Amino acid sequence: MNAEGLLAQRIINVKSSAIRELLKQSKMPGVISLAGGIPSDALFDFEGLSIATRQAIDEQPKSAFQYGLTEGSPLLRERICTLCAERGVQARPEDVMVTAGSQQALDLVMRTVVNPGDVFVVESPTYLAALQTLELAEATVMSVSSDSDGMVVDELAELLKTQRIKGVYVVPTFGNPSGLTLSAARREQLVRLAAEHNFLIIEDDPYGELRFTEERNATLYQVAQRLLGHTDNVIYTSTFSKILAPGLRLGWAILPPLLLQKVAIIKQAADLHASALSQSIVECYLGLGRLPAQIDTIRRAYQQKGELLAELVRSELGEVIDFDMPKGGMFLWARFRQPFNATEWLNATLANGVVFVPGEYFFANRPDRSTFRLSFATASEQEMQEAVARLRRSL
């Protein structure tokens, strides 16, 4: 049987996530991983999660183990709105769709709004899995560059003079992989362009709470509310994976009413609804009031880890690479000062027992092979010291 002949055309050339493949390497004995954007399980609030799980089972077993609403538990949607309000995102429970992580939110939204050939614009570099969802939705992906202030929105404005686009996907705060943050001026410019040219902004915000300072960046959703008086052109997505536990597989999207209705139809066909048990656990956890302290714990730990990794890289590799110090998130994005193929270098680092993610996978086009991403979230202090020493030996 010709199995390939049975495949849909859109899946034939889609590649597996490079990061997921590298995670297999990271499980090998003796290998230290600076690759995956995986939260540190040493920082999980197991006590709070245990209390919330027991509450969910003891106090609301029917809703925890029964089918639920496609849009999500009404109480959880209310509590998500409270959480979002603290971020400056004012939404109603009926604007919220609970999803199996923000990754599913991206997939559902792309399938809802993208026709084959529709143009979506991303920054270079951008989140690898977003590129996968766009590819599966058969979008035409175009990119604009980024600098220390995030996406270069002036390039987008130039592109819009000759090209109609369906939307822009962006991680504006502590982006993956770059760690960069879109400046306030560029946030306003992007929101105004979306309204003027009638395209969607998909604002992906998994890392916004993981800031290393007290400064809070206004979300694009918030900027649109302030500047335009509406958020018709902005879809806001976020997740509990980075601030609570990824194994719960819960995220959410805030959408305009018509889009939410259509996304719900696709979700019904995909999985009916996100895990009822996970929703009940998170619902109860939020009711405990422990999340703010949990986020503070994660922020402090990641700040210390990020500063340590930056210091080690600067000390051991500073002669050959450069990087921007992130102000939050989980990643350090580095670039060799001279042309250098980081993907080929990975073979040498693996031989020395350390894995990272080559930068070329994060580009929609014109990949910069001199770049690479390091994650400081999971490795211990001792592991980071040894990993950077191994990176230097691998040169």
Side-chain angles (χ1 to χ4, degrees):
M1 181 179 68
N2 179 11
E4 186 168 317
L6 301 176
L7 296 174
Q9 190 65 37
R10 63 180 172 274
I11 197 66
I12 290 175
N13 295 318
V14 176
K15 298 180 178 63
S16 175
S17 164
I19 298 173
R20 306 304 299 184
E21 294 301 316
L22 286 170
L23 287 177
K24 298 175 185 176
Q25 305 276 5
S26 71
K27 301 299 182 183
M28 295 170 57
V31 172
I32 301 172
S33 176
L34 301 177
I38 300 173
S40 171
D41 51 28
L43 298 173
F44 292 170
D45 180 11
F46 288 116
E47 179 184 21
L49 287 167
S50 177
I51 294 170
T53 301
R54 179 51 56 193
Q55 275 190 8
I57 293 172
D58 290 348
E59 299 176 15
Q60 48 189 58
K62 290 184 179 179
S63 58
F65 293 105
Q66 185 55 279
Y67 286 122
L69 299 175
T70 297
E71 294 81 359
S73 152
L75 179 55
L76 178 57
R77 293 162 81 191
E78 286 181 20
R79 289 182 170 168
I80 286 173
C81 286
T82 301
L83 179 63
C84 285
E86 295 169 1
R87 305 179 182 185
V89 174
Q90 302 295 332
R92 306 166 303 168
E94 56 265 36
D95 299 325
V96 177
M97 168 73 69
V98 179
T99 59
S102 58
Q103 182 62 42
Q104 188 191 46
L106 295 180
D107 177 59
L108 294 173
V109 168
M110 298 303 186
R111 286 199 276 161
T112 302
V113 304
V114 176
N115 294 306
D118 280 350
V119 175
F120 245 82
V121 177
V122 299
E123 59 187 327
S124 286
T126 193
Y127 176 43
L128 171 60
L131 293 176
Q132 284 185 306
T133 62
L134 286 165
E135 185 177 4
L136 284 167
E138 301 181 79
T140 297
V141 181
M142 303 182 76
S143 61
V144 296
S145 62
S146 57
D147 59 21
S148 58
D149 285 327
M151 173 186 278
V152 180
V153 182
D154 280 343
E155 287 187 19
L156 175 64
E158 283 298 310
L159 177 65
L160 287 166
K161 291 178 180 179
T162 58
Q163 177 69 59
R164 178 169 175 76
I165 71 172
K166 176 61 72 74
V168 169
Y169 168 82
V170 63
V171 186
T173 306
F174 317 134
N176 179 2
S178 68
L180 296 172
T181 296
L182 190 64
S183 70
R186 290 183 182 180
R187 288 174 192 245
E188 292 189 2
Q189 184 185 10
L190 179 57
V191 164
R192 291 189 190 278
L193 285 173
E196 179 184 350
H197 294 273
N198 193 31
F199 63 79
L200 279 172
I201 299 170
I202 299 180
E203 177 180 16
D204 196 6
D205 187 27
Y207 309 105
E209 292 299 289
L210 306 182
R211 59 192 188 279
F212 300 159
T213 69
E214 294 308 310
E215 178 186 4
R216 183 186 286 275
N217 297 280
T219 64
L220 296 171
Y221 194 95
Q222 181 181 3
V223 172
Q225 285 176 319
R226 174 171 56 83
L227 289 183
L228 308 175
H230 66 80
T231 55
D232 296 347
N233 296 87
V234 183
I235 295 171
Y236 177 85
T237 71
S238 192
T239 181
F240 288 104
S241 293
K242 307 303 187 293
I243 58 175
L244 190 54
L248 293 165
R249 302 309 307 129
L250 279 189
W252 69 91
I254 297 175
L255 306 117
L258 177 62
L259 274 179
L260 190 143
Q261 177 188 356
K262 299 304 182 183
V263 167
I265 292 171
I266 296 179
K267 184 164 175 58
Q268 287 168 5
D271 65 357
L272 299 183
H273 59 78
S275 164
L277 179 57
S278 288
Q279 290 188 69
S280 293
I281 292 170
V282 174
E283 199 175 280
C284 292
Y285 186 90
L286 293 177
L288 296 173
R290 297 172 69 109
L291 187 61
Q294 169 66 5
I295 291 174
D296 284 344
T297 297
I298 297 171
R299 284 174 55 196
R300 288 193 300 271
Y302 285 178
Q303 180 180 6
Q304 292 173 359
K305 285 169 167 280
E307 290 174 351
L308 173 62
L309 182 60
E311 180 183 328
L312 291 168
V313 170
R314 197 176 288 117
S315 172
E316 294 290 329
L317 302 168
E319 296 176 1
V320 293
I321 73 163
D322 194 14
F323 62 89
D324 289 313
M325 183 62 199
K327 296 180 181 179
M330 301 168 63
F331 306 112
L332 191 151
W333 177 251
R335 177 182 292 102
F336 281 91
R337 298 178 189 273
Q338 302 294 329
F340 191 88
N341 192 317
T343 304
E344 293 181 0
W345 183 43
L346 180 61
N347 295 323
T349 71
L350 278 170
N352 280 319
V354 62
V355 61
F356 61 89
V357 184
E360 69 171 273
Y361 299 116
F362 298 99
F363 291 84
N365 42 53
R366 302 186 303 277
D368 184 349
R369 293 186 171 86
S370 296
T371 58
F372 59 100
R373 191 193 77 179
L374 303 175
S375 172
F376 48 77
T378 306
S380 67
E381 178 177 336
Q382 183 177 359
E383 287 173 332
M384 281 195 281
Q385 290 173 339
E386 178 60 27
V388 175
R390 292 179 185 183
L391 289 177
R392 181 171 179 84
R393 286 201 298 273
S394 302
L395 290 173

